[in-house]
Amino acid sequence: MTIDTPSAVLRGPAPRLDTTVRRHATAPANAPIGNAPIGNTAVGRNPSSSGLPAQHPGINTPAQATGPGGAGMPARTQLAPRPAQPPRDLALGAAELRGILRVVEDCERAPTLPAFREATLDALSRHLGYRNSAFFLGPSLEAAFQDQRPAGRGLALRMAGPFLDRYRGLEAFSDPESLRLMHERGVVTLEDIGNPVRPEIRMRMERFLRAHGIHSKLLLRLAGPANIGAVVSLLDPRPGAFGARDRAVAAVLGRHLGNLLRFHVRANTGPAVTAKLSARERDVVRLVAEGHSNRQVAEALCISIDTVKHHLTHALVATSCANRTQLALAWQREMGPSTSPAIAGPGRD
């Protein structure tokens, strides 16, 4: 990541004030420069009020220099303030900004929410070089990581099935502190998770990912609606693959893609849910929409996991939803977000 410096600043002429100060300086040539000896490594970076670099002797702190108050008065010295750090967006180069713009343009063309997820991953690969990625979606940030059918590319796509089942069970995706970190920062790498309070959480995730050939991970939370959790996971087989440049790119993308996500959630009115389901199916769908796994739903309703899957399959067919994520979103739109985290007891079939 580079910060461009205008050529005029590097090659421009010295200020006119130099000749004036040089004319009034009367200190001997071997006088010290400020409080530092000649040859200090900071030469040229802490100019005096004259604008001259510190390598000019007898200018900064002459013992009997003619100051603003007349002869014999010590001249005032003042260090130039350090330049302010540029905003994160401005620190990106032209190539990164063009890539971000093209990603957003591709995603704008997506006609539906599922197409938006696929377009996001395709555009990240095509324009920014992130070829290993996954897109998780759910009614909350924690529930997003329980997405049973996330969109995936590269390593994430090839390691679906058993890999995802074990991946969802990692403590980082249920630990309140890790979730708070993801929510507040929006961009989190593998090195951030669990530090400094619970480093063992990061170590467990690190061991799991390395066993599958993944050495770097970046999580990007899309700044979408409050009742929707959307996370793009970037993976890389190289250690330390995601640095400051990737964080800056992800921070910009999180805002713009989050705005597009809001549009798709509003536009996707979805089918009615409750009118097409039995009482037990509504119990199952409600618990799924709250982010519970099939096993948790089965334990709460005192039924088998196979029965939970059967009810979900019927609910998907009855509501014309493509997957459990769409079903959960349709339930949230119709019923509103859950006001109680408690799991309901058994209901009637």
Side-chain angles (χ1 to χ4, degrees), residues 30-55:
N30 60 354
I33 302 174
N35 294 322
I38 298 176
N40 189 297
T41 55
V43 167
R45 293 191 292 112
N46 293 323
S48 68
S49 59
S50 66
L52 284 173
Q55 63 188 8

Side-chain angles (χ1 to χ4, degrees), residues 34 47-50 59-62 74-79:
S48 68
S49 59
S50 66
I59 299 302
N60 289 351
T61 57
R76 295 181 180 177
T77 59
Q78 183 179 2
L79 297 179

Side-chain angles (χ1 to χ4, degrees), residues 2-338:
T2 60
I3 302 176
D4 298 331
T5 304
S7 58
V9 174
L10 299 177
R11 297 195 299 268
R16 293 182 181 272
L17 185 59
D18 290 358
T19 57
T20 303
V21 177
R22 190 186 305 274
R23 194 180 306 126
H24 289 285
T26 60
N30 60 354
I33 302 174
N35 294 322
I38 298 176
N40 189 297
T41 55
V43 167
R45 293 191 292 112
N46 293 323
S48 68
S49 59
S50 66
L52 284 173
Q55 63 188 8
H56 290 271
I59 299 302
N60 289 351
T61 57
Q64 297 294 331
T66 302
M73 297 295 292
R76 295 181 180 177
T77 59
Q78 183 179 2
L79 297 179
R82 293 183 179 180
Q85 292 296 324
R88 178 173 289 184
D89 294 9
L90 298 182
L92 292 172
E96 286 84 3
L97 294 175
R98 283 196 299 269
I100 291 171
L101 178 60
R102 289 168 180 168
V103 169
V104 174
E105 288 176 341
D106 285 2
C107 294
E108 284 178 340
R109 302 188 184 101
T112 63
L113 182 58
F116 170 72
R117 298 173 72 181
E118 300 293 336
T120 297
L121 301 187
D122 287 339
L124 288 173
S125 176
R126 183 181 305 113
H127 302 305
L128 294 174
Y130 299 123
R131 295 179 175 83
N132 306 299
S133 58
F135 195 138
F136 297 87
L137 190 65
S140 67
L141 182 60
E142 182 177 0
F145 293 107
Q146 302 302 321
D147 190 347
Q148 297 297 310
R149 297 183 61 183
R153 295 292 183 274
L155 289 172
L157 183 62
R158 293 196 298 270
M159 292 185 294
F163 168 83
L164 281 178
D165 289 338
R166 293 191 294 271
Y167 180 78
R168 295 186 193 97
L170 292 173
E171 193 175 358
F173 303 131
S174 59
D175 174 59
E177 183 64 22
S178 298
L179 292 172
R180 183 192 65 79
L181 188 69
M182 294 180 205
H183 181 80
E184 291 182 357
R185 294 190 181 181
V187 179
V188 176
T189 63
L190 182 59
E191 291 76 13
D192 299 325
I193 295 175
N195 286 330
V197 181
R198 300 188 63 191
E200 69 276 7
I201 293 180
R202 176 186 58 81
M203 294 174 64
R204 292 191 192 102
M205 175 177 279
E206 204 170 52
R207 285 196 297 267
F208 174 80
L209 293 176
R210 286 179 178 176
H212 294 84
I214 301 170
H215 291 266
S216 296
K217 181 180 182 66
L218 183 146
L219 295 170
L220 165 61
R221 182 183 66 83
L222 302 192
N227 63 334
I228 299 296
V231 178
V232 174
S233 174
L234 304 180
L235 311 172
D236 202 288
R238 301 167 298 171
F242 301 115
R245 172 257 188 191
D246 305 282
R247 288 175 179 268
V249 168
V252 179
L253 283 174
R255 297 194 299 271
H256 293 292
L257 295 182
N259 289 332
L260 293 177
L261 178 63
R262 288 189 182 93
F263 167 78
H264 283 294
V265 170
R266 289 196 303 266
N268 185 17
T269 57
V273 177
T274 56
K276 300 180 180 181
L277 305 179
S278 68
R280 178 48 60 91
E281 288 167 351
R282 288 197 294 271
D283 288 338
V284 170
V285 174
R286 176 177 58 81
L287 294 175
V288 168
E290 291 175 358
H292 299 291
S293 66
N294 288 353
R295 182 177 300 278
Q296 291 172 324
V297 174
E299 292 175 354
L301 300 179
C302 299
I303 57 179
S304 68
I305 296 179
D306 288 338
T307 301
V308 172
K309 293 179 180 178
H310 172 77
H311 287 318
L312 281 177
T313 300
H314 183 271
L316 291 172
V317 173
T319 59
S320 301
C321 290
N323 51 53
R324 63 188 288 145
T325 300
Q326 287 189 14
L327 184 62
L329 294 176
W331 178 274
Q332 289 276 4
R333 283 190 297 268
E334 184 172 342
M335 305 301 294
S338 175

